Amino acid sequence: MTTNSTTPRRAWLGFTLVLSLVGLVAMDNSVLYLAMPSINEAISPSAGQSLWIVDIYGFVVASLLIAFGNLGDRHGRLKFLLGGAMLFGIGSAGATFATSPELLIASRGLMGLGGATLLPSGLAIVSNLFPDAKQRARAIGIFAATFAAGFAVGPVAGGLLLDRFWWGSVFLINLPVVVVFLAFAPKLLKEVREARPGRVDALSVVQSAVGILLAVYSVKAAAAEGFSLEQLAIGVLGVAILVWFVRRQFTLEEPLLDLGLFRDRVFTVAVLTGLLSLVAWAAAGYLSGVYLQSVLGFTVLTAAFLALPGAAVLTVACIGTAGVVDRIGKRASLIASHFFIGTGLLLLMFTGTSAGAALYIASTVIAGVGYGLSFSLVAETAVAAVPAERAGSAGAIAEMSNELGGALGISLLGSLAAFFFRFLGPGTAGTLDTTLSTPGLSDETAAQAKDAFVTGLHAAIGVAAALTLALGVLAVRWLPREDRDTTAGAPDRQEQTVS
């Protein structure tokens, strides 16, 4: 690998600039968790539109992450980073001043399009800033911690802003950071390309994106409106396209998604950990935000403060993962992450319509330890499990599992909660917030709506906890015993040239 001659001071300035953008991309996965009641009141989205507003961002990022990573290798990472930042800024501006659910969904999708270019390109550029292996390992660890911290503080930042400003402020804060990045990135960062860029299969990109969106749309439609022939046909078509996508990958010399990597059990456990930990975290964060405000009646500021302990623990756990691994090993740390997450989630099963704030705090603190370990270990474990020449594919799949998990958590488990609300609720409206804002609503009807929402919350969280704990048991069986391995200072697996 050849690297640029960037001075240490300039390297760290460029690194800080990239981190500011990475933090924004991560925050926008979760910044709406506490903002949805305000958005529901302002622009009145339907139940299905509410879910799309929150998770279209993650779906677009997950669907295009690997493709954009490959395109960045061919055409230049810095070009993609700058273009992605511009798209992210334009989408943020559109979301800030959106006057309808459709416009907000479209703007969030555009933000996702920008985000899909930022993560793989940002990591490649960061890796190239530091020729020293120890500095590079430290920088990548900070990169991962920043991404995890962005996830964690997103709801808190959203709540603090909403206490003083209108809901569009959660997107407006992106614009100054994007402007600063676009102004200074060309001066502080160098272009990075792979020495032997692979061809991107356009049909695979379309198959993966369309298949995921159609399948999830079918689930959302069933939860919000019930089963229908059209909804079932869309779901079957989505699944069929995804099966076509999988079969195509085995016929390509340069597949978009290297499915052969899943033959390795360690790699499979790592990717499933990344997927399910974000499924659980996103579903719990989104549903808990509605629960704290609309069921327990807390203000958005109070809800934000209640989320602080869990966010702090998650961030500290992510930063401290290296020390934990030194003491108990990577295998034990990864296994422990599942049981911390599962145990924390189970506490939410005891929440009710009149009390539950203390259980919520305890849940986020305990689960936060697991999330921090998981967010920090998944990519490293996945990459270490495969041959060096396939490390790039492994890292991209690990990143995609995080993004896809966050979107699936809200769409699938959020749809499960919505189904219970539709089935058990008073039938006044499709969401709890809309029901509670109905003029002349009786206390009995409001109580029934809250009971139905809490039942849906318990169902969704119960499924998330069961899946997480089951994967923990699988990890105990599949992950091999290890010698205490050290990954810091490992040789760079990517062959890159710099222009």
Side-chain angles (χ1 to χ4, degrees):
M1 171 183 170
T2 61
T3 62
N4 57 41
S5 58
T6 305
T7 63
R9 182 172 178 270
R10 182 173 175 179
W12 286 108
L13 285 174
F15 178 51
T16 303
L17 194 64
V18 173
L19 288 187
S20 67
L21 213 55
V22 169
L24 280 186
V25 172
M27 279 180 58
D28 275 274
N29 278 279
S30 59
V31 73
L32 292 186
Y33 291 173
L34 292 181
M36 282 312 298
S38 299
I39 292 175
N40 288 334
E41 182 180 352
I43 60 176
S44 301
S46 67
Q49 288 173 331
S50 293
L51 294 176
W52 278 119
I53 287 170
V54 177
D55 61 23
I56 186 63
Y57 176 85
F59 273 120
V60 173
V61 173
S63 299
L64 298 175
L65 193 66
I66 292 179
F68 280 4
N70 291 334
L71 287 171
D73 290 342
R74 168 176 286 184
H75 300 292
R77 294 289 193 175
L78 184 57
K79 289 180 182 177
F80 261 65
L81 199 61
L82 293 171
M86 189 173 296
L87 287 176
F88 190 82
I90 294 171
S92 297
T96 298
F97 302 105
T99 55
S100 68
E102 293 82 4
L103 181 56
L104 182 53
I105 291 170
S107 298
R108 290 275 290 166
L110 187 59
M111 291 171 65
L113 191 63
T117 71
L118 298 177
L119 293 174
S121 295
L123 184 57
I125 286 176
V126 165
S127 298
N128 199 72
L129 281 172
F130 301 96
D132 179 76
K134 290 183 178 180
Q135 281 191 334
R136 186 164 60 249
R138 180 185 175 194
I140 292 174
I142 296 174
F143 185 99
T146 300
F147 191 72
F151 265 115
V153 305
V156 178
L160 293 174
L161 286 168
L162 288 167
D163 182 62
R164 304 181 69 89
F165 307 104
W166 92 113
W167 63 266
S169 62
V170 300
F171 303 112
L172 186 62
I173 61 170
N174 296 341
L175 298 181
V177 178
V178 170
V179 170
V180 170
F181 180 86
L182 291 174
F184 290 98
K187 301 176 182 178
L188 294 174
L189 303 174
K190 293 288 187 178
E191 187 60 277
V192 178
R193 291 185 178 89
E194 287 290 333
R196 293 181 296 275
R199 184 179 68 87
V200 177
D201 183 59
L203 180 56
S204 294
V205 174
V206 174
Q207 287 173 325
S208 60
V210 173
I212 289 172
L213 290 174
L214 289 180
V216 172
Y217 174 83
S218 176
V219 173
K220 289 175 179 290
E225 302 170 7
F227 293 98
S228 67
L229 184 60
E230 179 184 5
Q231 169 266 324
L232 289 172
I234 291 174
V236 170
L237 178 61
V239 172
I241 292 175
L242 289 175
V243 171
W244 181 23
F245 166 76
V246 170
R247 292 173 63 91
R248 181 172 177 78
Q249 302 314 295
F250 288 110
T251 67
L252 297 173
E253 290 186 10
E254 298 172 350
L256 182 68
L257 190 64
D258 190 352
L259 297 174
L261 295 174
F262 287 93
R263 296 189 182 99
D264 186 285
R265 288 185 172 186
V266 176
F267 176 83
T268 300
V269 169
V271 171
L272 287 177
T273 299
L275 181 75
L276 287 183
S277 62
L278 264 297
V279 164
W281 187 83
Y286 170 67
L287 294 172
S288 295
V290 178
Y291 169 74
L292 292 173
Q293 295 175 77
S294 300
V295 176
L296 297 186
F298 291 115
T299 66
V300 66
L301 181 62
T302 302
F305 281 127
L306 291 174
L308 269 177
V313 168
L314 191 159
T315 303
V316 171
C318 185
I319 295 172
T321 294
V324 174
V325 170
D326 286 343
R327 293 181 66 88
I328 67 175
K330 188 187 300 180
R331 177 182 184 272
S333 300
L334 196 62
I335 291 172
S337 72
H338 299 102
F339 292 102
F340 273 108
I341 294 171
T343 302
L345 290 174
L346 287 176
L347 292 179
L348 290 177
M349 300 292 290
F350 299 98
T351 54
T353 56
S354 59
L359 286 168
Y360 167 76
I361 294 173
S363 170
T364 56
V365 166
I366 295 173
V369 177
Y371 293 134
L373 293 171
S374 170
F375 294 170
S376 300
L377 288 174
V378 164
E380 180 186 350
T381 303
V383 169
V386 304
E389 64 272 13
R390 304 173 83 181
S393 296
I397 293 174
E399 288 181 11
M400 186 188 70
S401 72
N402 284 334
E403 293 293 337
L404 189 59
L408 288 176
I410 298 168
S411 61
L412 299 185
L413 296 184
S415 294
L416 177 62
F419 172 80
F420 273 88
F421 182 81
R422 189 176 66 85
F423 184 72
L424 300 175
T428 306
T431 65
L432 176 61
D433 294 319
T434 308
T435 299
L436 296 179
S437 63
T438 302
L441 190 72
S442 67
D443 292 341
E444 181 180 356
T445 303
Q448 181 185 357
K450 292 180 179 181
D451 283 333
F453 178 86
V454 171
T455 301
L457 167 69
H458 291 168
I461 295 302
V463 170
L467 290 174
T468 302
L469 293 172
L471 182 57
V473 174
L474 185 67
V476 172
R477 295 174 58 87
W478 275 14
L479 292 180
R481 300 282 179 180
E482 62 178 351
D483 296 326
R484 297 294 174 82
D485 55 346
T486 57
T487 56
D492 189 8
R493 296 174 180 265
Q494 293 183 325
E495 186 178 350
Q496 298 174 324
T497 60
V498 181
S499 60

